[in-house]
Amino acid sequence: MVNARTSQPPAPAAGAWSPLKIRMFRSIWLAILASNIGTWVNDVAAAWVMAERTGSPLMVALVQSATTVPIVLLALAAGTLADIVDRRTYLLATQGWMLAVAALMAVLTSLGMLTPQLLVLLTFCMGCGAAMAMPAQAAIVSELVPQSMLPSAVALNSIGINIARSIGPAVGGLIVAQLGAVWAFGFNAITFAAMLFVVWGWKRDPKASSLPPEGFGAGLKAGLRYASRAGRLQAVLIKSVGFFFFAAAMNALLPVVVRGQMHGGAGQYGMLLGCIGIGAVAGALLLPRLRAQLDRDLLVLLATLALALSLVGLALTRSWYLLPVVMLVNGFAWITVLSSLQIAAQTAVPAWVRARALALYIMVFSAGMAAGGLCWGALAQRTSPELALLVAAAGAVIGGLLVWRVRIAGTEDLNLRPAGHWPAPELSVPVSNDRGPVLVTIEYRIDAADRASFQAQMRALGTVRRRDGAVVWGVVEDVASPGIHLEYFVTPSWLEHLRQHERITADDKAIQEVLRALHRGERAPVVRHFVGGHDPLPAACLITTAISDR
């Protein structure tokens, strides 16, 4: 088995293909690519079997929905699990689940026992497995490559998705036509077996913690709390809402335009989908150069405008020579925004909450695409596909301009590594992890001239305290001795306070160093811990520690 960390080159160049030099990333990337192709093959076979056995457009659409609904329903729970359990074990479990479902579909099909109802149920089970695996697959990228390669690694993942999107349906159609649906389902099972084999060979080196793992409920709550206080992550989610809802018009209405307006067939439709994939791959290859020359938010805005232009092109163009160019532009714009937002989501949060943050992003992305597809499809049915596309294009332009000031640039410059500079509290009596609540106070002495600077830094620190677990936070000043300020915050338990020790980042430490420099007096700021609870100890335990960096 290969240790991903020890196999990484010390300081590789962060070119478009550089992450593939790392053996474990390359192996997992190829396995995910094969798995995505297998998923497309499975989707084609499932839709074909349902159409063959029922002839009902509603049942065919139900099969498609069964693969996407679980993502919206389960993404956040999946992200929580991926953060609180070992990700390697978790991925083995999800891939094993999908292997079993795909194998069952193949066996039932070969025996003639795959009824329409069973097909919908098993497709939903497959979708649940994919929804549970996606946040973990996204989060491990930062474990497999160094920080300098992360943008290229995320772009490569996007390339893999679009390669699968380009060739997967064609491969699926060929297998179903030449060999039958049972072989398509079997092919999907083989790709999951390959993914299992690769993940089994990943010798993960997780960061050790002396604290017990979070429970599911506490982990879910912590993830939502962090997201509510993390401005850069919120910026990613806001930009996602402003883009994907309108971008969904292309996926929803392209088949309608090809078949209904241009009287084309499956071949022409597949060709245009392939052009979207080619445009996306080309865009991913050019992104490193574009990111080096353009501000990230400007790049997202320009790509959004390009996507709006492609929607206008689909609405107004009826030429088989021009439409491929329109699709190339769409694919280029799509991958530019998607990759930029994924990179920002990866780098805007520390490792302990990364899968939960990516799950929120995936959930917003999926919900935006699903809601947008329904909205533009309904508008097209009531009016016309052309009008729906033009309205979506106008909405994309307006949305892009409205979220232009919401900044995601700079997330790659954040230093979110654990600082580890908080000393362990010196206890005069033992304190069990479930004791609580815990009140922590820090006393500062600040000159009048530094009061405004102190308050500004305190506001930033207050966000950090709440983000990392404080349920109450505030600052008060001694009216009898002006200049003496007392910061206080409350956590529900002693364990939650100890988690704060592990979650404080290097950027957070920089804020505390500024506050330490503003502090006046011979002694360092005094930190006190007051602990409640019902251990066989005094009703309140006081621990006092004088430190300079809390």
Side-chain angles (χ1 to χ4, degrees):
M1 296 202 297
V2 180
N3 189 315
R5 295 187 181 276
T6 58
S7 64
Q8 293 175 6
W17 301 103
S18 57
L20 293 177
K21 297 176 183 178
I22 299 175
R23 181 178 175 184
M24 186 51 64
F25 175 82
R26 181 174 66 249
S27 299
I28 289 183
W29 185 82
L30 289 172
I32 292 176
L33 172 62
S35 180
N36 286 335
I37 293 174
T39 298
W40 278 104
V41 170
N42 187 91
D43 290 348
V44 168
W48 183 261
V49 169
M50 185 62 78
E52 214 175 32
R53 299 192 179 181
T54 68
S56 166
L58 178 61
M59 292 299 290
V60 174
L62 190 59
V63 169
Q64 300 298 321
S65 298
T67 63
T68 55
V69 170
I71 297 175
V72 179
L73 297 179
L74 300 176
L76 189 55
T80 302
L81 287 173
D83 272 332
I84 65 178
V85 303
D86 179 73
R87 286 177 187 160
R88 176 180 175 272
T89 304
Y90 180 78
L91 282 173
L92 288 172
T94 57
Q95 301 304 311
W97 167 265
M98 289 186 284
L99 168 61
V101 174
L104 182 59
M105 293 175 74
V107 170
L108 291 176
T109 304
S110 66
L111 297 176
M113 300 172 60
L114 188 64
T115 65
Q117 292 77 16
L118 269 178
L119 180 56
V120 172
L121 175 62
L122 291 175
T123 302
F124 181 79
C125 291
M126 184 74 71
C128 289
M132 297 300 287
M134 286 173 68
Q137 288 179 349
I140 65 172
V141 175
S142 60
E143 297 186 47
L144 299 173
V145 300
Q147 182 75 11
S148 62
M149 285 188 179
L150 186 57
S152 297
V154 173
L156 278 171
N157 277 353
S158 300
I159 289 176
I161 290 172
N162 283 280
I163 290 174
R165 180 185 185 185
S166 301
I167 69 176
V171 173
L174 182 64
I175 293 177
V176 171
Q178 298 298 322
L179 302 174
V182 62
W183 287 95
F185 295 139
F187 176 84
N188 192 31
I190 291 172
T191 65
F192 289 128
M195 184 69 182
L196 265 175
F197 177 78
V198 171
V199 175
W200 183 265
W202 174 30
K203 189 178 180 182
R204 184 172 182 250
D205 184 22
K207 180 183 178 298
S209 173
S210 60
L211 301 180
E214 286 183 287
F216 177 80
L220 180 62
K221 185 178 179 180
L224 292 174
R225 181 186 63 236
Y226 190 97
S228 70
R229 302 290 178 181
R232 294 299 178 92
L233 176 60
Q234 291 173 2
V236 173
L237 300 180
I238 291 170
K239 281 188 180 289
S240 299
V241 172
F243 177 79
F244 292 120
F245 179 80
F246 303 104
M250 179 63 74
N251 289 350
L253 299 181
L254 179 60
V256 176
V257 171
V258 170
R259 183 172 181 178
Q261 315 301 115
M262 301 185 67
H263 308 291
Q268 288 90 342
Y269 176 60
M271 179 266 293
L272 293 177
L273 286 179
C275 289
I276 293 176
I278 293 171
V281 172
L285 296 178
L286 289 174
L287 272 177
R289 183 177 302 176
L290 292 175
R291 285 195 300 265
Q293 297 177 352
L294 295 174
D295 173 82
R296 180 66 49 81
D297 294 284
L298 177 59
L299 185 60
V300 170
L301 176 61
L302 293 176
T304 301
L305 297 178
L307 180 125
L309 183 63
S310 72
L311 295 177
V312 173
L314 180 60
L316 303 182
T317 300
R318 293 296 175 262
S319 167
W320 290 110
Y321 298 101
L322 292 179
L323 269 184
V325 178
V326 172
M327 297 301 107
L328 289 171
V329 172
N330 182 271
F332 186 93
W334 173 268
I335 198 66
T336 299
V337 176
L338 184 67
S339 179
S340 297
L341 294 177
Q342 284 179 337
I343 293 169
Q346 287 267 9
T347 55
V349 296
W352 69 268
V353 75
R354 184 165 289 131
R356 279 165 280 189
L358 290 170
L360 278 171
Y361 167 74
I362 291 169
M363 186 170 64
V364 170
F365 163 79
S366 301
M369 292 295 292
L374 290 173
C375 176
W376 305 121
L379 182 60
Q381 185 167 339
R382 288 179 174 272
T383 57
S384 68
E386 293 82 0
L387 180 60
L389 286 164
L390 292 174
V391 173
V397 172
I398 295 171
L401 292 174
L402 286 176
V403 301
W404 154 245
R405 294 295 181 185
V406 180
R407 305 288 291 172
I408 62 171
T411 57
E412 294 169 57
D413 299 325
L414 298 175
N415 189 348
L416 301 178
R417 293 190 301 272
H421 68 292
W422 283 13
E426 297 179 4
L427 307 180
S428 59
V429 291
V431 179
S432 60
N433 285 340
D434 60 349
R435 285 280 303 276
V438 176
L439 169 66
V440 182
T441 66
I442 305 98
E443 182 180 306
Y444 299 90
R445 295 178 179 270
I446 306 297
D447 290 341
D450 296 328
R451 194 171 187 274
S453 298
F454 173 78
Q455 290 176 338
Q457 293 298 320
M458 268 297 165
R459 284 192 291 271
L461 186 60
T463 299
V464 172
R465 305 291 198 203
R466 292 190 181 102
R467 184 199 68 195
D468 288 350
V471 294
V472 176
W473 175 87
V475 181
V476 292
E477 185 174 6
D478 190 339
V479 294
S481 303
I484 298 180
H485 299 261
L486 191 71
E487 179 197 5
Y488 61 90
F489 60 92
V490 177
T491 60
S493 68
W494 185 247
L495 178 59
E496 285 302 306
H497 176 60
L498 294 180
R499 293 196 195 283
Q500 288 182 304
H501 284 244
E502 293 190 345
R503 291 170 179 173
I504 203 76
T505 70
D507 282 347
D508 304 333
K509 180 182 177 182
I511 298 174
Q512 295 175 330
E513 287 174 344
V514 174
L515 288 167
R516 177 65 185 93
L518 293 173
H519 174 74
R520 297 292 178 259
E522 296 180 359
R523 298 181 59 189
V526 176
V527 180
R528 295 183 177 90
H529 299 73
F530 300 86
V531 186
H534 302 287
D535 280 356
L537 299 169
C541 169
L542 172 61
I543 308 136
T544 304
T545 310
I547 64 172
S548 61
D549 49 9
R550 179 62 64 83

